[in-house]
PDB file of all heavy atoms in Angstrom:
ATOM      1  N   ASP L   1      -7.234 -19.387  18.411  1.00 96.00           N
ATOM      2  CA  ASP L   1      -6.123 -18.666  18.985  1.00 96.00           C
ATOM      3  C   ASP L   1      -4.806 -19.255  18.398  1.00 96.00           C
ATOM      4  O   ASP L   1      -4.831 -20.235  17.687  1.00 96.00           O
ATOM      5  CB  ASP L   1      -6.109 -18.935  20.507  1.00 96.00           C
ATOM      6  CG  ASP L   1      -5.810 -17.783  21.318  1.00 96.00           C
ATOM      7  OD1 ASP L   1      -5.119 -16.853  20.817  1.00 96.00           O
ATOM      8  OD2 ASP L   1      -6.187 -17.800  22.541  1.00 96.00           O
ATOM      9  N   GLY L   2      -3.725 -18.678  18.736  1.00 93.00           N
ATOM     10  CA  GLY L   2      -2.405 -19.083  18.297  1.00 93.00           C
ATOM     11  C   GLY L   2      -1.608 -19.531  19.478  1.00 93.00           C
ATOM     12  O   GLY L   2      -1.840 -19.061  20.634  1.00 93.00           O
ATOM     13  N   ASP L   3      -0.592 -20.326  19.299  1.00 92.00           N
ATOM     14  CA  ASP L   3       0.219 -20.814  20.353  1.00 92.00           C
ATOM     15  C   ASP L   3       0.981 -19.674  21.041  1.00 92.00           C
ATOM     16  O   ASP L   3       1.023 -19.492  22.266  1.00 92.00           O
ATOM     17  CB  ASP L   3       1.164 -21.952  19.949  1.00 92.00           C
ATOM     18  CG  ASP L   3       2.014 -21.507  18.737  1.00 92.00           C
ATOM     19  OD1 ASP L   3       1.549 -20.866  17.864  1.00 92.00           O
ATOM     20  OD2 ASP L   3       3.181 -21.967  18.674  1.00 92.00           O
ATOM     21  N   GLY L   4       1.490 -18.797  20.285  1.00 89.00           N
ATOM     22  CA  GLY L   4       2.250 -17.604  20.814  1.00 89.00           C
ATOM     23  C   GLY L   4       1.294 -16.724  21.611  1.00 89.00           C
ATOM     24  O   GLY L   4       1.655 -16.190  22.622  1.00 89.00           O
ATOM     25  N   ALA L   5       0.079 -16.483  21.070  1.00 91.00           N
ATOM     26  CA  ALA L   5      -0.850 -15.613  21.744  1.00 91.00           C
ATOM     27  C   ALA L   5      -1.288 -16.203  23.089  1.00 91.00           C
ATOM     28  O   ALA L   5      -1.420 -15.507  24.093  1.00 91.00           O
ATOM     29  CB  ALA L   5      -2.082 -15.394  20.856  1.00 91.00           C
ATOM     30  N   VAL L   6      -1.479 -17.504  23.145  1.00 93.00           N
ATOM     31  CA  VAL L   6      -1.847 -18.170  24.392  1.00 93.00           C
ATOM     32  C   VAL L   6      -0.780 -18.050  25.433  1.00 93.00           C
ATOM     33  O   VAL L   6      -1.038 -17.764  26.571  1.00 93.00           O
ATOM     34  CB  VAL L   6      -2.238 -19.630  24.187  1.00 93.00           C
ATOM     35  CG1 VAL L   6      -2.324 -20.384  25.482  1.00 93.00           C
ATOM     36  CG2 VAL L   6      -3.592 -19.773  23.472  1.00 93.00           C
ATOM     37  N   LEU L   7       0.466 -18.209  24.997  1.00 90.00           N
ATOM     38  CA  LEU L   7       1.626 -18.118  25.921  1.00 90.00           C
ATOM     39  C   LEU L   7       1.866 -16.658  26.311  1.00 90.00           C
ATOM     40  O   LEU L   7       2.391 -16.445  27.391  1.00 90.00           O
ATOM     41  CB  LEU L   7       2.854 -18.787  25.299  1.00 90.00           C
ATOM     42  CG  LEU L   7       2.678 -20.258  25.065  1.00 90.00           C
ATOM     43  CD1 LEU L   7       3.908 -20.814  24.314  1.00 90.00           C
ATOM     44  CD2 LEU L   7       2.487 -20.999  26.450  1.00 90.00           C
ATOM     45  N   MET L   8       1.490 -15.702  25.461  1.00 88.00           N
ATOM     46  CA  MET L   8       1.693 -14.315  25.796  1.00 88.00           C
ATOM     47  C   MET L   8       0.743 -13.912  26.982  1.00 88.00           C
ATOM     48  O   MET L   8       1.130 -13.068  27.747  1.00 88.00           O
ATOM     49  CB  MET L   8       1.388 -13.476  24.532  1.00 88.00           C
ATOM     50  CG  MET L   8       1.585 -11.985  24.861  1.00 88.00           C
ATOM     51  SD  MET L   8       1.355 -11.000  23.371  1.00 88.00           S
ATOM     52  CE  MET L   8       2.988 -11.292  22.669  1.00 88.00           C
ATOM     53  N   ASN L   9      -0.417 -14.511  27.011  1.00 91.00           N
ATOM     54  CA  ASN L   9      -1.397 -14.174  28.022  1.00 91.00           C
ATOM     55  C   ASN L   9      -2.228 -15.400  28.390  1.00 91.00           C
ATOM     56  O   ASN L   9      -3.370 -15.532  27.948  1.00 91.00           O
ATOM     57  CB  ASN L   9      -2.335 -13.054  27.445  1.00 91.00           C
ATOM     58  CG  ASN L   9      -3.232 -12.463  28.594  1.00 91.00           C
ATOM     59  OD1 ASN L   9      -3.081 -12.867  29.730  1.00 91.00           O
ATOM     60  ND2 ASN L   9      -4.066 -11.586  28.195  1.00 91.00           N
ATOM     61  N   PRO L  10      -1.712 -16.253  29.288  1.00 94.00           N
ATOM     62  CA  PRO L  10      -2.413 -17.464  29.649  1.00 94.00           C
ATOM     63  C   PRO L  10      -3.602 -17.253  30.577  1.00 94.00           C
ATOM     64  O   PRO L  10      -4.281 -18.200  30.962  1.00 94.00           O
ATOM     65  CB  PRO L  10      -1.308 -18.330  30.312  1.00 94.00           C
ATOM     66  CG  PRO L  10      -0.353 -17.338  30.813  1.00 94.00           C
ATOM     67  CD  PRO L  10      -0.379 -16.186  29.881  1.00 94.00           C
ATOM     68  N   VAL L  11      -3.915 -16.003  30.920  1.00 95.00           N
ATOM     69  CA  VAL L  11      -5.016 -15.788  31.896  1.00 95.00           C
ATOM     70  C   VAL L  11      -6.386 -16.305  31.318  1.00 95.00           C
ATOM     71  O   VAL L  11      -7.198 -16.699  32.074  1.00 95.00           O
ATOM     72  CB  VAL L  11      -5.105 -14.263  32.255  1.00 95.00           C
ATOM     73  CG1 VAL L  11      -5.617 -13.399  31.077  1.00 95.00           C
ATOM     74  CG2 VAL L  11      -6.010 -14.104  33.463  1.00 95.00           C
ATOM     75  N   GLY L  12      -6.484 -16.348  29.972  1.00 95.00           N
ATOM     76  CA  GLY L  12      -7.683 -16.909  29.364  1.00 95.00           C
ATOM     77  C   GLY L  12      -7.887 -18.316  29.721  1.00 95.00           C
ATOM     78  O   GLY L  12      -9.004 -18.802  29.970  1.00 95.00           O
ATOM     79  N   LEU L  13      -6.831 -19.117  29.678  1.00 97.00           N
ATOM     80  CA  LEU L  13      -6.845 -20.541  30.045  1.00 97.00           C
ATOM     81  C   LEU L  13      -7.344 -20.668  31.523  1.00 97.00           C
ATOM     82  O   LEU L  13      -8.169 -21.538  31.908  1.00 97.00           O
ATOM     83  CB  LEU L  13      -5.513 -21.224  29.863  1.00 97.00           C
ATOM     84  CG  LEU L  13      -4.929 -21.400  28.487  1.00 97.00           C
ATOM     85  CD1 LEU L  13      -3.556 -21.928  28.522  1.00 97.00           C
ATOM     86  CD2 LEU L  13      -5.887 -22.252  27.666  1.00 97.00           C
ATOM     87  N   ILE L  14      -6.685 -19.889  32.380  1.00 97.00           N
ATOM     88  CA  ILE L  14      -7.016 -19.916  33.845  1.00 97.00           C
ATOM     89  C   ILE L  14      -8.528 -19.554  34.032  1.00 97.00           C
ATOM     90  O   ILE L  14      -9.200 -20.225  34.821  1.00 97.00           O
ATOM     91  CB  ILE L  14      -6.060 -19.010  34.593  1.00 97.00           C
ATOM     92  CG1 ILE L  14      -4.634 -19.486  34.468  1.00 97.00           C
ATOM     93  CG2 ILE L  14      -6.504 -18.844  36.060  1.00 97.00           C
ATOM     94  CD1 ILE L  14      -3.576 -18.484  34.866  1.00 97.00           C
ATOM     95  N   THR L  15      -8.960 -18.426  33.388  1.00 97.00           N
ATOM     96  CA  THR L  15     -10.346 -18.011  33.597  1.00 97.00           C
ATOM     97  C   THR L  15     -11.337 -19.014  33.040  1.00 97.00           C
ATOM     98  O   THR L  15     -12.325 -19.397  33.711  1.00 97.00           O
ATOM     99  CB  THR L  15     -10.528 -16.670  32.905  1.00 97.00           C
ATOM    100  OG1 THR L  15      -9.595 -15.705  33.450  1.00 97.00           O
ATOM    101  CG2 THR L  15     -11.961 -16.095  33.133  1.00 97.00           C
ATOM    102  N   ALA L  16     -11.155 -19.525  31.801  1.00 97.00           N
ATOM    103  CA  ALA L  16     -12.086 -20.460  31.262  1.00 97.00           C
ATOM    104  C   ALA L  16     -12.109 -21.776  32.116  1.00 97.00           C
ATOM    105  O   ALA L  16     -13.192 -22.293  32.360  1.00 97.00           O
ATOM    106  CB  ALA L  16     -11.747 -20.780  29.820  1.00 97.00           C
ATOM    107  N   GLY L  17     -10.968 -22.223  32.518  1.00 97.00           N
ATOM    108  CA  GLY L  17     -10.857 -23.442  33.278  1.00 97.00           C
ATOM    109  C   GLY L  17     -11.532 -23.378  34.640  1.00 97.00           C
ATOM    110  O   GLY L  17     -11.966 -24.359  35.197  1.00 97.00           O
ATOM    111  N   ALA L  18     -11.765 -22.171  35.133  1.00 97.00           N
ATOM    112  CA  ALA L  18     -12.443 -21.960  36.420  1.00 97.00           C
ATOM    113  C   ALA L  18     -13.952 -21.938  36.307  1.00 97.00           C
ATOM    114  O   ALA L  18     -14.621 -21.897  37.292  1.00 97.00           O
ATOM    115  CB  ALA L  18     -11.987 -20.617  37.044  1.00 97.00           C
ATOM    116  N   HIS L  19     -14.481 -21.978  35.050  1.00 97.00           N
ATOM    117  CA  HIS L  19     -15.962 -21.909  34.848  1.00 97.00           C
ATOM    118  C   HIS L  19     -16.401 -23.209  34.226  1.00 97.00           C
ATOM    119  O   HIS L  19     -16.475 -23.298  32.992  1.00 97.00           O
ATOM    120  CB  HIS L  19     -16.294 -20.705  33.999  1.00 97.00           C
ATOM    121  CG  HIS L  19     -15.981 -19.417  34.655  1.00 97.00           C
ATOM    122  ND1 HIS L  19     -16.821 -18.784  35.563  1.00 97.00           N
ATOM    123  CD2 HIS L  19     -14.913 -18.544  34.468  1.00 97.00           C
ATOM    124  CE1 HIS L  19     -16.294 -17.685  35.996  1.00 97.00           C
ATOM    125  NE2 HIS L  19     -15.155 -17.488  35.357  1.00 97.00           N
ATOM    126  N   GLU L  20     -16.832 -24.153  35.029  1.00 95.00           N
ATOM    127  CA  GLU L  20     -17.187 -25.453  34.503  1.00 95.00           C
ATOM    128  C   GLU L  20     -18.347 -25.470  33.547  1.00 95.00           C
ATOM    129  O   GLU L  20     -18.499 -26.322  32.735  1.00 95.00           O
ATOM    130  CB  GLU L  20     -17.568 -26.385  35.721  1.00 95.00           C
ATOM    131  CG  GLU L  20     -16.333 -26.783  36.529  1.00 95.00           C
ATOM    132  CD  GLU L  20     -16.754 -27.668  37.680  1.00 95.00           C
ATOM    133  OE1 GLU L  20     -17.865 -28.191  37.668  1.00 95.00           O
ATOM    134  OE2 GLU L  20     -15.897 -27.810  38.589  1.00 95.00           O
ATOM    135  N   SER L  21     -19.239 -24.439  33.612  1.00 97.00           N
ATOM    136  CA  SER L  21     -20.422 -24.430  32.714  1.00 97.00           C
ATOM    137  C   SER L  21     -20.274 -23.420  31.611  1.00 97.00           C
ATOM    138  O   SER L  21     -21.305 -22.952  31.030  1.00 97.00           O
ATOM    139  CB  SER L  21     -21.684 -24.157  33.479  1.00 97.00           C
ATOM    140  OG  SER L  21     -21.611 -22.889  34.134  1.00 97.00           O
ATOM    141  N   LEU L  22     -19.063 -23.068  31.230  1.00 98.00           N
ATOM    142  CA  LEU L  22     -18.873 -22.081  30.202  1.00 98.00           C
ATOM    143  C   LEU L  22     -18.863 -22.783  28.828  1.00 98.00           C
ATOM    144  O   LEU L  22     -18.048 -23.698  28.565  1.00 98.00           O
ATOM    145  CB  LEU L  22     -17.424 -21.384  30.358  1.00 98.00           C
ATOM    146  CG  LEU L  22     -17.104 -20.298  29.422  1.00 98.00           C
ATOM    147  CD1 LEU L  22     -17.928 -19.040  29.648  1.00 98.00           C
ATOM    148  CD2 LEU L  22     -15.609 -19.937  29.577  1.00 98.00           C
ATOM    149  N   PRO L  23     -19.836 -22.371  27.901  1.00 98.00           N
ATOM    150  CA  PRO L  23     -19.889 -23.066  26.655  1.00 98.00           C
ATOM    151  C   PRO L  23     -18.842 -22.493  25.641  1.00 98.00           C
ATOM    152  O   PRO L  23     -19.149 -21.708  24.730  1.00 98.00           O
ATOM    153  CB  PRO L  23     -21.260 -22.782  26.170  1.00 98.00           C
ATOM    154  CG  PRO L  23     -21.604 -21.399  26.769  1.00 98.00           C
ATOM    155  CD  PRO L  23     -20.831 -21.358  28.106  1.00 98.00           C
ATOM    156  N   LEU L  24     -17.583 -22.927  25.813  1.00 98.00           N
ATOM    157  CA  LEU L  24     -16.499 -22.383  25.020  1.00 98.00           C
ATOM    158  C   LEU L  24     -15.644 -23.534  24.399  1.00 98.00           C
ATOM    159  O   LEU L  24     -15.263 -24.452  25.089  1.00 98.00           O
ATOM    160  CB  LEU L  24     -15.593 -21.551  25.973  1.00 98.00           C
ATOM    161  CG  LEU L  24     -14.414 -20.903  25.327  1.00 98.00           C
ATOM    162  CD1 LEU L  24     -14.830 -19.571  24.607  1.00 98.00           C
ATOM    163  CD2 LEU L  24     -13.336 -20.543  26.316  1.00 98.00           C
ATOM    164  N   ALA L  25     -15.366 -23.397  23.182  1.00 98.00           N
ATOM    165  CA  ALA L  25     -14.380 -24.250  22.464  1.00 98.00           C
ATOM    166  C   ALA L  25     -13.194 -23.390  22.128  1.00 98.00           C
ATOM    167  O   ALA L  25     -13.225 -22.469  21.316  1.00 98.00           O
ATOM    168  CB  ALA L  25     -15.013 -24.821  21.236  1.00 98.00           C
ATOM    169  N   HIS L  26     -12.079 -23.697  22.793  1.00 98.00           N
ATOM    170  CA  HIS L  26     -10.858 -22.922  22.602  1.00 98.00           C
ATOM    171  C   HIS L  26      -9.878 -23.735  21.719  1.00 98.00           C
ATOM    172  O   HIS L  26      -9.292 -24.700  22.161  1.00 98.00           O
ATOM    173  CB  HIS L  26     -10.250 -22.659  24.044  1.00 98.00           C
ATOM    174  CG  HIS L  26      -9.127 -21.646  23.971  1.00 98.00           C
ATOM    175  ND1 HIS L  26      -8.580 -21.136  25.110  1.00 98.00           N
ATOM    176  CD2 HIS L  26      -8.428 -21.056  22.976  1.00 98.00           C
ATOM    177  CE1 HIS L  26      -7.625 -20.323  24.834  1.00 98.00           C
ATOM    178  NE2 HIS L  26      -7.535 -20.199  23.527  1.00 98.00           N
ATOM    179  N   ILE L  27      -9.707 -23.235  20.492  1.00 98.00           N
ATOM    180  CA  ILE L  27      -8.927 -23.965  19.548  1.00 98.00           C
ATOM    181  C   ILE L  27      -7.579 -23.180  19.415  1.00 98.00           C
ATOM    182  O   ILE L  27      -7.596 -22.025  19.101  1.00 98.00           O
ATOM    183  CB  ILE L  27      -9.633 -23.982  18.152  1.00 98.00           C
ATOM    184  CG1 ILE L  27     -10.956 -24.609  18.312  1.00 98.00           C
ATOM    185  CG2 ILE L  27      -8.815 -24.696  17.136  1.00 98.00           C
ATOM    186  CD1 ILE L  27     -11.975 -24.334  17.152  1.00 98.00           C
ATOM    187  N   VAL L  28      -6.488 -23.867  19.585  1.00 97.00           N
ATOM    188  CA  VAL L  28      -5.186 -23.312  19.473  1.00 97.00           C
ATOM    189  C   VAL L  28      -4.497 -23.886  18.238  1.00 97.00           C
ATOM    190  O   VAL L  28      -4.257 -25.082  18.204  1.00 97.00           O
ATOM    191  CB  VAL L  28      -4.305 -23.452  20.768  1.00 97.00           C
ATOM    192  CG1 VAL L  28      -2.942 -22.846  20.564  1.00 97.00           C
ATOM    193  CG2 VAL L  28      -4.998 -22.757  21.934  1.00 97.00           C
ATOM    194  N   LEU L  29      -4.172 -22.985  17.338  1.00 96.00           N
ATOM    195  CA  LEU L  29      -3.392 -23.387  16.115  1.00 96.00           C
ATOM    196  C   LEU L  29      -1.927 -23.206  16.417  1.00 96.00           C
ATOM    197  O   LEU L  29      -1.449 -22.116  16.605  1.00 96.00           O
ATOM    198  CB  LEU L  29      -3.828 -22.498  14.919  1.00 96.00           C
ATOM    199  CG  LEU L  29      -5.315 -22.455  14.622  1.00 96.00           C
ATOM    200  CD1 LEU L  29      -5.590 -21.504  13.461  1.00 96.00           C
ATOM    201  CD2 LEU L  29      -5.895 -23.813  14.413  1.00 96.00           C
ATOM    202  N   ASP L  30      -1.209 -24.297  16.495  1.00 94.00           N
ATOM    203  CA  ASP L  30       0.161 -24.300  16.999  1.00 94.00           C
ATOM    204  C   ASP L  30       1.108 -24.561  15.848  1.00 94.00           C
ATOM    205  O   ASP L  30       1.264 -25.727  15.418  1.00 94.00           O
ATOM    206  CB  ASP L  30       0.303 -25.400  18.054  1.00 94.00           C
ATOM    207  CG  ASP L  30       1.706 -25.473  18.678  1.00 94.00           C
ATOM    208  OD1 ASP L  30       2.615 -24.714  18.220  1.00 94.00           O
ATOM    209  OD2 ASP L  30       1.880 -26.255  19.613  1.00 94.00           O
ATOM    210  N   ASP L  31       1.760 -23.507  15.387  1.00 87.00           N
ATOM    211  CA  ASP L  31       2.784 -23.625  14.311  1.00 87.00           C
ATOM    212  C   ASP L  31       4.180 -23.338  14.830  1.00 87.00           C
ATOM    213  O   ASP L  31       5.097 -23.321  14.128  1.00 87.00           O
ATOM    214  CB  ASP L  31       2.440 -22.766  13.104  1.00 87.00           C
ATOM    215  CG  ASP L  31       2.343 -21.233  13.437  1.00 87.00           C
ATOM    216  OD1 ASP L  31       2.614 -20.864  14.575  1.00 87.00           O
ATOM    217  OD2 ASP L  31       2.025 -20.479  12.544  1.00 87.00           O
ATOM    218  N   GLY L  32       4.240 -23.072  16.182  1.00 75.00           N
ATOM    219  CA  GLY L  32       5.518 -22.824  16.780  1.00 75.00           C
ATOM    220  C   GLY L  32       6.179 -21.499  16.442  1.00 75.00           C
ATOM    221  O   GLY L  32       7.357 -21.306  16.784  1.00 75.00           O
ATOM    222  N   GLN L  33       5.424 -20.565  15.865  1.00 64.00           N
ATOM    223  CA  GLN L  33       6.022 -19.317  15.503  1.00 64.00           C
ATOM    224  C   GLN L  33       4.994 -18.198  15.610  1.00 64.00           C
ATOM    225  O   GLN L  33       3.754 -18.396  15.589  1.00 64.00           O
ATOM    226  CB  GLN L  33       6.588 -19.371  14.114  1.00 64.00           C
ATOM    227  CG  GLN L  33       5.511 -19.654  13.000  1.00 64.00           C
ATOM    228  CD  GLN L  33       6.111 -19.733  11.646  1.00 64.00           C
ATOM    229  OE1 GLN L  33       7.029 -18.896  11.311  1.00 64.00           O
ATOM    230  NE2 GLN L  33       5.679 -20.684  10.847  1.00 64.00           N
ATOM    231  N   TYR L  34       5.521 -16.968  15.621  1.00 63.00           N
ATOM    232  CA  TYR L  34       4.731 -15.813  15.469  1.00 63.00           C
ATOM    233  C   TYR L  34       4.686 -15.422  14.024  1.00 63.00           C
ATOM    234  O   TYR L  34       5.448 -14.580  13.514  1.00 63.00           O
ATOM    235  CB  TYR L  34       5.343 -14.626  16.288  1.00 63.00           C
ATOM    236  CG  TYR L  34       5.305 -14.830  17.759  1.00 63.00           C
ATOM    237  CD1 TYR L  34       6.430 -15.216  18.540  1.00 63.00           C
ATOM    238  CD2 TYR L  34       4.140 -14.611  18.522  1.00 63.00           C
ATOM    239  CE1 TYR L  34       6.435 -15.409  19.875  1.00 63.00           C
ATOM    240  CE2 TYR L  34       4.072 -14.878  19.849  1.00 63.00           C
ATOM    241  CZ  TYR L  34       5.185 -15.171  20.547  1.00 63.00           C
ATOM    242  OH  TYR L  34       5.169 -15.409  21.927  1.00 63.00           O
ATOM    243  N   ALA L  35       3.843 -16.155  13.282  1.00 64.00           N
ATOM    244  CA  ALA L  35       3.863 -16.070  11.792  1.00 64.00           C
ATOM    245  C   ALA L  35       3.606 -14.741  11.274  1.00 64.00           C
ATOM    246  O   ALA L  35       4.283 -14.315  10.308  1.00 64.00           O
ATOM    247  CB  ALA L  35       2.885 -17.124  11.246  1.00 64.00           C
ATOM    248  N   SER L  36       2.678 -14.024  11.812  1.00 65.00           N
ATOM    249  CA  SER L  36       2.229 -12.746  11.228  1.00 65.00           C
ATOM    250  C   SER L  36       3.205 -11.588  11.556  1.00 65.00           C
ATOM    251  O   SER L  36       3.049 -10.493  10.982  1.00 65.00           O
ATOM    252  CB  SER L  36       0.812 -12.366  11.662  1.00 65.00           C
ATOM    253  OG  SER L  36       0.722 -12.287  13.030  1.00 65.00           O
ATOM    254  N   THR L  37       4.135 -11.815  12.449  1.00 69.00           N
ATOM    255  CA  THR L  37       5.080 -10.755  12.739  1.00 69.00           C
ATOM    256  C   THR L  37       6.460 -11.062  12.250  1.00 69.00           C
ATOM    257  O   THR L  37       7.451 -10.368  12.610  1.00 69.00           O
ATOM    258  CB  THR L  37       5.176 -10.429  14.303  1.00 69.00           C
ATOM    259  OG1 THR L  37       5.619 -11.624  14.951  1.00 69.00           O
ATOM    260  CG2 THR L  37       3.857 -10.021  14.819  1.00 69.00           C
ATOM    261  N   GLY L  38       6.653 -12.038  11.359  1.00 63.00           N
ATOM    262  CA  GLY L  38       7.923 -12.344  10.787  1.00 63.00           C
ATOM    263  C   GLY L  38       8.416 -13.773  10.996  1.00 63.00           C
ATOM    264  O   GLY L  38       9.520 -14.095  10.495  1.00 63.00           O
ATOM    265  N   GLY L  39       7.646 -14.592  11.610  1.00 64.00           N
ATOM    266  CA  GLY L  39       8.011 -15.991  11.687  1.00 64.00           C
ATOM    267  C   GLY L  39       8.976 -16.324  12.855  1.00 64.00           C
ATOM    268  O   GLY L  39       9.620 -17.387  12.855  1.00 64.00           O
ATOM    269  N   GLN L  40       9.034 -15.446  13.829  1.00 67.00           N
ATOM    270  CA  GLN L  40       9.958 -15.667  14.973  1.00 67.00           C
ATOM    271  C   GLN L  40       9.474 -16.951  15.706  1.00 67.00           C
ATOM    272  O   GLN L  40       8.259 -17.145  15.881  1.00 67.00           O
ATOM    273  CB  GLN L  40       9.985 -14.506  15.962  1.00 67.00           C
ATOM    274  CG  GLN L  40      10.384 -13.170  15.362  1.00 67.00           C
ATOM    275  CD  GLN L  40       9.207 -12.396  14.809  1.00 67.00           C
ATOM    276  OE1 GLN L  40       8.107 -12.911  14.574  1.00 67.00           O
ATOM    277  NE2 GLN L  40       9.446 -11.146  14.512  1.00 67.00           N
ATOM    278  N   ALA L  41      10.363 -17.728  16.216  1.00 69.00           N
ATOM    279  CA  ALA L  41      10.004 -18.906  16.956  1.00 69.00           C
ATOM    280  C   ALA L  41       9.372 -18.550  18.281  1.00 69.00           C
ATOM    281  O   ALA L  41       9.832 -17.559  18.956  1.00 69.00           O
ATOM    282  CB  ALA L  41      11.289 -19.827  17.211  1.00 69.00           C
ATOM    283  N   VAL L  42       8.358 -19.232  18.696  1.00 76.00           N
ATOM    284  CA  VAL L  42       7.800 -19.076  20.072  1.00 76.00           C
ATOM    285  C   VAL L  42       8.823 -19.600  20.993  1.00 76.00           C
ATOM    286  O   VAL L  42       9.265 -20.729  20.906  1.00 76.00           O
ATOM    287  CB  VAL L  42       6.420 -19.861  20.136  1.00 76.00           C
ATOM    288  CG1 VAL L  42       5.957 -19.778  21.611  1.00 76.00           C
ATOM    289  CG2 VAL L  42       5.414 -19.274  19.206  1.00 76.00           C
ATOM    290  N   PRO L  43       9.258 -18.737  21.976  1.00 76.00           N
ATOM    291  CA  PRO L  43      10.446 -19.113  22.751  1.00 76.00           C
ATOM    292  C   PRO L  43      10.213 -20.280  23.715  1.00 76.00           C
ATOM    293  O   PRO L  43      11.211 -20.915  24.166  1.00 76.00           O
ATOM    294  CB  PRO L  43      10.768 -17.854  23.443  1.00 76.00           C
ATOM    295  CG  PRO L  43       9.540 -17.077  23.528  1.00 76.00           C
ATOM    296  CD  PRO L  43       8.779 -17.458  22.284  1.00 76.00           C
ATOM    297  N   SER L  44       9.006 -20.515  24.172  1.00 74.00           N
ATOM    298  CA  SER L  44       8.753 -21.543  25.161  1.00 74.00           C
ATOM    299  C   SER L  44       7.799 -22.536  24.539  1.00 74.00           C
ATOM    300  O   SER L  44       6.826 -22.129  23.885  1.00 74.00           O
ATOM    301  CB  SER L  44       8.127 -20.886  26.390  1.00 74.00           C
ATOM    302  OG  SER L  44       7.739 -21.884  27.316  1.00 74.00           O
ATOM    303  N   ARG L  45       8.015 -23.880  24.729  1.00 82.00           N
ATOM    304  CA  ARG L  45       7.208 -24.845  24.101  1.00 82.00           C
ATOM    305  C   ARG L  45       6.583 -25.807  25.124  1.00 82.00           C
ATOM    306  O   ARG L  45       6.831 -27.018  25.091  1.00 82.00           O
ATOM    307  CB  ARG L  45       8.034 -25.633  23.104  1.00 82.00           C
ATOM    308  CG  ARG L  45       8.709 -24.846  21.990  1.00 82.00           C
ATOM    309  CD  ARG L  45       7.763 -24.118  21.036  1.00 82.00           C
ATOM    310  NE  ARG L  45       6.888 -25.073  20.435  1.00 82.00           N
ATOM    311  CZ  ARG L  45       5.685 -24.802  20.005  1.00 82.00           C
ATOM    312  NH1 ARG L  45       5.151 -23.646  20.231  1.00 82.00           N
ATOM    313  NH2 ARG L  45       4.950 -25.738  19.496  1.00 82.00           N
ATOM    314  N   PRO L  46       5.758 -25.313  26.056  1.00 89.00           N
ATOM    315  CA  PRO L  46       5.121 -26.227  27.035  1.00 89.00           C
ATOM    316  C   PRO L  46       4.073 -27.104  26.304  1.00 89.00           C
ATOM    317  O   PRO L  46       3.634 -26.761  25.197  1.00 89.00           O
ATOM    318  CB  PRO L  46       4.490 -25.314  28.060  1.00 89.00           C
ATOM    319  CG  PRO L  46       4.155 -24.013  27.260  1.00 89.00           C
ATOM    320  CD  PRO L  46       5.313 -23.911  26.275  1.00 89.00           C
ATOM    321  N   ASP L  47       3.668 -28.145  26.969  1.00 94.00           N
ATOM    322  CA  ASP L  47       2.560 -28.982  26.472  1.00 94.00           C
ATOM    323  C   ASP L  47       1.234 -28.187  26.722  1.00 94.00           C
ATOM    324  O   ASP L  47       0.792 -28.101  27.821  1.00 94.00           O
ATOM    325  CB  ASP L  47       2.583 -30.308  27.255  1.00 94.00           C
ATOM    326  CG  ASP L  47       1.501 -31.260  26.859  1.00 94.00           C
ATOM    327  OD1 ASP L  47       0.387 -30.739  26.343  1.00 94.00           O
ATOM    328  OD2 ASP L  47       1.646 -32.438  26.966  1.00 94.00           O
TER     329      ASP L  47
END
């Protein structure tokens, strides 16, 4: 996943976190930007 995509729709984090036995590795590639749409900065930078 991308940092901007996760912040656009955090419901995936909420759903995965609610399923303790879900075999999922969620990898977020964080470059701080929407690279494929022109490199706009991701407006929010939570941990």
